[in-house]
Amino acid sequence: MSLEYAILVSLQERAGSGYELARRFDKSIGFFWGASHQQIYRSLKRMVELGWVTGDAVAQEKRPDKKVYRVSEAGAAELARWLAEPADPPTVRNELSVKIRGASYGEVAQVLAEVGRHRRLHAERLAIYRAIEQRDFPDPTRLSGQSLHQFLVLRGGIRTEQSMVDWCDEVIGALEDDSSA
Amino acid sequence: MSLEYAILVSLQERAGSGYELARRFDKSIGFFWGASHQQIYRSLKRMVELGWVTGDAVAQEKRPDKKVYRVSEAGAAELARWLAEPADPPTVRNELSVKIRGASYGEVAQVLAEVGRHRRLHAERLAIYRAIEQRDFPDPTRLSGQSLHQFLVLRGGIRTEQSMVDWCDEVIGALEDDSSA
DNA sequence: CTACTCATGTAATCCGTTACATGATTGT
DNA sequence: ACAATCATGTAACGGATTACATGAGTAG
């Protein structure tokens, strides 16, 4: 049910169409809440039924019409209510850890290669986050309100990716030592 | 589909009943792959149909009978095949981040309290991991094979929880400063 | 002419969560 | 007496993923 609330937050920041929301979930919001366009269209439909958002058709030149969604008063109230609710900590489900734990039942070298691949993926993502940090928040001490909140979420992403890179390095080092011994 | 493979790994380490597996998914394996007893029973049923495991009824004194599951040759082969496959990096879905990003559309103080609660939860989990580390792996330099793999997964948990605690502290500090300003 | 972006959806399937259900034994 | 632990499941629902589907405009 949280996708609806992620959409409410995004639409409060700026009204937009389903397509535009899908783009935002490919970056920005999507860095901490992933969602496909199919999910987004379905959720928007439900949210219109619930009266949380309104969708106005907007004609465009040389482009298909789009429906621009806006948060209603009821939607804003619902978002405020949800923000005050406790969130359950996410269930941990780390496939790579399952593979490492089970490595001795297959080819350790292949699991090791996979850890290397994940290291690269996390390092890439970390580089993206660091670039955003430098571009959008050059002086973090002066931040307040919404931009501070955005910055703090980005900081979470940076910490998570950095810790993944460090862990992959530890795993790679230990497995290499072990296989050469 | 990964639950089946997590079960295969756990059953390779030690054969056991559905109930025993459910206990293991409350700790140990469960620290990086959560699963309820309902899911486990359903998966075991499917895995018997696929021929990946065999279930033998074992009579017990003063306790209900149980079915002890063991990985078959076909199951072992399937596990080895899966271990060589690439794993897609987990989809990020962090509800707390959504709340922080949206904090200004509700009561910031309540979101702040929730971050504090999460900080405590992560600190508790970190303490559990550190205790396991000290108890089971007092001399990590000597580890090899399966016990090394277990240790490395535990290290991932420690790094993840530590980074969450640090992030919560950063968020709490920044939000407190911002509200007092 | 090919591929990509803009724009919106439906349908099938799979996976996870919640609730319901039973029944014996052990400890307080 | 009551709660907890051992032991095993079914059923309903909801959310996510994957595949399918359409159609116009724009850049190479």
Side-chain angles (χ1 to χ4, degrees):
Chain A
M1 253 294 212
S2 287
L3 174 56
E4 275 81 351
Y5 298 99
I7 291 174
L8 283 177
V9 169
S10 191
L11 286 180
Q12 283 282 35
E13 290 176 357
R14 196 149 25 91
S17 68
Y19 185 85
E20 280 161 2
L21 278 166
R23 296 300 109 240
R24 293 186 211 169
F25 277 85
D26 285 345
K27 16 183 235 293
S28 163
I29 286 274
F31 290 148
F32 54 94
W33 197 277
S36 62
H37 79 274
Q38 292 92 335
Q39 276 178 277
I40 290 164
Y41 285 117
R42 246 192 316 120
S43 290
L44 284 170
K45 205 175 151 186
R46 241 178 299 168
M47 290 164 82
V48 170
E49 282 165 23
L50 288 164
W52 294 1
V53 296
T54 56
D56 302 301
V58 173
Q60 292 185 118
E61 276 170 40
K62 313 221 170 176
R63 282 202 192 157
D65 291 1
K66 61 179 179 177
K67 253 180 270 177
V68 172
Y69 293 94
R70 247 167 268 277
V71 179
S72 68
E73 271 184 53
E78 177 57 26
L79 176 57
R81 193 201 57 73
W82 176 79
L83 283 166
E85 254 188 8
D88 23 64
T91 335
V92 190
R93 275 202 186 110
N94 187 331
E95 202 174 325
L96 190 62
S97 288
V98 178
K99 294 203 183 207
I100 294 169
R101 171 105 172 210
S104 48
Y105 306 109
E107 294 284 337
V108 177
Q110 289 188 293
V111 174
L112 179 56
E114 188 56 14
V115 178
R117 196 175 68 88
H118 280 250
R119 198 233 179 252
R120 282 192 297 279
L121 293 172
H122 289 298
E124 272 170 33
R125 190 156 266 235
L126 178 59
I128 292 167
Y129 291 171
R130 288 228 180 270
I132 296 171
E133 188 185 28
Q134 295 213 329
R135 191 193 59 199
D136 295 348
F137 309 101
D139 187 1
T141 55
R142 296 182 176 281
L143 294 170
S144 72
Q146 274 187 50
S147 51
L148 174 62
H149 304 156
Q150 275 189 38
F151 171 72
L152 290 171
V153 170
L154 180 64
R155 289 289 305 157
I158 289 171
R159 283 180 185 276
T160 300
E161 297 305 326
Q162 183 66 64
S163 117
M164 285 297 146
V165 169
D166 293 345
W167 177 57
C168 287
D169 284 337
E170 181 178 358
V171 172
I172 292 164
L175 291 183
E176 279 176 353
D177 281 1
D178 193 44
S179 68
S180 70
Chain B
M1 248 303 211
S2 288
L3 175 56
E4 276 81 351
Y5 298 99
I7 291 174
L8 283 177
V9 169
S10 191
L11 286 179
Q12 283 284 33
E13 290 176 356
R14 196 147 28 89
S17 68
Y19 185 83
E20 281 162 1
L21 277 167
R23 294 301 107 240
R24 292 185 212 169
F25 276 84
D26 285 342
K27 13 183 237 289
S28 163
I29 287 274
F31 291 145
F32 54 94
W33 198 277
S36 62
H37 78 276
Q38 292 91 334
Q39 275 178 278
I40 290 164
Y41 284 118
R42 239 187 323 121
S43 289
L44 283 170
K45 204 175 154 185
R46 241 178 299 169
M47 292 165 81
V48 170
E49 281 163 24
L50 289 164
W52 294 1
V53 297
T54 56
D56 302 300
V58 173
Q60 292 185 119
E61 278 171 37
K62 315 222 171 180
R63 281 199 192 161
D65 292 1
K66 62 179 181 179
K67 252 181 267 177
V68 173
Y69 293 92
R70 245 168 268 278
V71 179
S72 68
E73 270 183 54
E78 178 56 26
L79 176 57
R81 192 200 58 72
W82 177 80
L83 283 166
E85 251 187 10
D88 22 63
T91 335
V92 189
R93 271 197 190 115
N94 189 332
E95 204 176 324
L96 190 61
S97 289
V98 178
K99 294 203 183 211
I100 294 169
R101 172 109 173 206
S104 49
Y105 306 110
E107 294 285 336
V108 178
Q110 289 189 294
V111 174
L112 179 56
E114 189 56 17
V115 178
R117 197 175 68 87
H118 280 250
R119 197 233 179 254
R120 283 193 296 280
L121 293 171
H122 288 298
E124 274 170 31
R125 190 156 266 236
L126 177 59
I128 292 168
Y129 291 171
R130 288 229 179 268
I132 296 172
E133 188 185 29
Q134 295 213 328
R135 191 193 59 199
D136 295 348
F137 308 103
D139 188 1
T141 54
R142 293 181 179 281
L143 293 170
S144 72
Q146 272 187 51
S147 50
L148 174 63
H149 305 158
Q150 273 188 41
F151 171 73
L152 291 171
V153 170
L154 179 63
R155 289 291 304 158
I158 288 170
R159 283 180 185 278
T160 300
E161 297 304 326
Q162 183 67 62
S163 115
M164 285 298 146
V165 169
D166 293 345
W167 177 57
C168 287
D169 284 338
E170 181 177 359
V171 173
I172 292 163
L175 291 184
E176 279 175 353
D177 281 1
D178 193 44
S179 66
S180 71

